[in-house]
Amino acid sequence: METTRFRLALVQLFVERRRHINLERARSLINRAAKDGAQVVVLPEYFTCMMDPEYFVEYKETRNGPTCQMLARAAHENNVYLFGGTFPEEIPGSKMLNNTCQIFNPKGDVIGTFRKLHLFDVDLGERMKITESELNMGGPGLTTVDTEFCRTGFGVCLDLRYPELARLYAMRGCQLMTYMGGFSLTTGPAHLQLLQRARAVDNQMFVANVGPATNNESPYVTYGHSAVADPWGNLIAETGSDEDVVIADIDLSLVAETRRRMPIDSLRRNDLFETRDLKIKQD
């Protein structure tokens, strides 16, 4: 039976060079979040290693590797749903990788897997040039997970920039979107919370985004500023650039109330345009 209220925690982890240190630090912060009453805990993008192709290759692993093992134990020991950030997943028989998130129930079972869909191939001149598709493959489709609280959809970093994706998740009945996004010091201040709030307002649902804390010694320096937006676009919990655990009390009745007060779906001109779900289930 679903309940309309639950406590969500975003773990904005400081990611360093060594994977075993990152896993231990993440486990400690998951414990802290659970002690603070969190029932759903979310880790950031690439929480196992610094964001750089060199480290992705060094620390690539399978879905049954050390990251999965730690996350399963942490979910079970703390009796929480754990949306397990992302790690560089090895693709059998290929030199390419996936940017992969595994989702665990409070028993420590994997109940969903999401792989980043949109790859970050950008050239911002002197400020930034990244070609993610040289090493990574985009995922096959959307992933939703049902808990006793609500249905949740998932995205990673660049996925946040696509309103059609969030719309599809809303059409599938999601009341919470969870993005794990390591925005940079260039794009983060300009776009991160703007996009997050827009996705919340567009679809009248809760939208969470969690990224790694700022580490100025990393090859790719992330912005942090993890936050939760409510269906009206208000940021109900947020943090800065340092390592932190962001706690948000989610009241799902706000989703129905917002949609009742502002019935944009029933006013939509479906005779002029549409968003179609081309792939109902992920392979």
Side-chain angles (χ1 to χ4, degrees), residues 3-271:
T3 179
T4 62
R5 295 176 182 267
F6 67 96
R7 179 162 286 186
L8 175 69
L10 310 181
V11 175
Q12 182 168 288
L13 183 74
F14 182 90
V15 178
E16 63 126 82
R17 167 71 175 76
R18 295 160 295 179
R19 178 174 62 191
H20 73 278
I21 297 296
N22 296 324
L23 293 182
E24 186 55 39
R25 189 192 297 268
R27 185 173 182 177
S28 175
L29 292 176
I30 295 166
N31 295 345
R32 171 180 153 188
K35 289 179 180 177
D36 287 340
Q39 296 152 292
V40 179
V41 181
V42 190
L43 294 175
E45 181 184 17
Y46 284 132
F47 79 98
T48 64
C49 63
M50 289 180 174
M51 289 194 189
D52 186 80
E54 174 186 348
Y55 297 114
F56 298 158
V57 172
E58 179 178 357
Y59 290 114
K60 66 184 178 181
E61 57 182 292
T62 68
R63 284 184 288 164
N64 296 316
T67 296
C68 177
Q69 294 172 25
M70 183 282 287
L71 294 173
R73 288 195 302 270
H76 178 66
E77 291 169 358
N78 290 285
N79 193 36
V80 296
Y81 286 95
L82 184 54
F83 301 165
T86 76
F87 67 94
E89 181 193 4
E90 183 175 358
I91 301 174
S94 173
K95 295 182 179 179
M96 303 295 283
L97 305 174
N98 281 129
N99 187 352
T100 299
C101 171
Q102 291 186 286
I103 302 107
F104 300 81
N105 67 16
K107 296 180 180 179
D109 302 321
V110 175
I111 57 173
T113 300
F114 176 79
R115 297 175 178 89
K116 181 181 179 182
L117 301 176
H118 298 92
L119 301 180
F120 197 52
D121 290 357
V122 299
D123 186 351
L124 302 180
E126 294 181 357
R127 292 182 295 172
M128 180 189 302
K129 184 175 182 179
I130 296 176
T131 310
E132 191 176 16
S133 63
E134 290 180 348
L135 183 61
N136 279 35
M137 293 180 61
L142 285 66
T143 296
T144 62
V145 163
D146 291 325
T147 69
E148 62 262 39
F149 310 117
C150 67
R151 178 168 292 172
T152 299
F154 296 87
V156 173
C157 203
L158 189 63
D159 295 335
L160 178 60
R161 292 184 179 273
Y162 293 88
E164 303 92 342
L165 179 63
R167 171 68 182 147
L168 288 178
Y169 276 119
M171 290 169 60
R172 291 190 183 190
C174 292
Q175 294 176 291
L176 170 66
M177 272 299 301
T178 301
Y179 293 95
M180 294 146 280
F183 274 54
S184 72
L185 297 185
T186 298
T187 59
H191 299 153
L192 176 57
Q193 292 184 351
L194 172 67
L195 290 166
Q196 180 179 2
R197 295 178 65 198
R199 298 295 84 80
V201 173
D202 288 346
N203 299 286
Q204 300 175 311
M205 61 183 177
F206 286 92
V207 176
N209 182 77
V210 55
T214 298
N215 179 354
N216 290 307
E217 296 183 359
S218 175
Y220 175 93
V221 182
T222 51
Y223 179 57
H225 289 77
S226 302
V228 180
D230 72 10
W232 198 251
N234 299 310
L235 294 181
I236 60 173
E238 59 180 315
T239 191
S241 60
D242 295 333
E243 183 171 272
D244 199 3
V245 176
V246 181
I247 299 291
D249 289 315
I250 305 298
D251 182 356
L252 295 169
S253 68
L254 291 176
V255 175
E257 177 63 15
T258 302
R259 292 173 179 176
R260 183 189 66 79
R261 292 169 57 198
M262 185 74 71
I264 58 175
D265 268 354
S266 64
L267 302 173
R268 194 181 304 274
R269 288 292 304 273
N270 292 316
D271 60 315

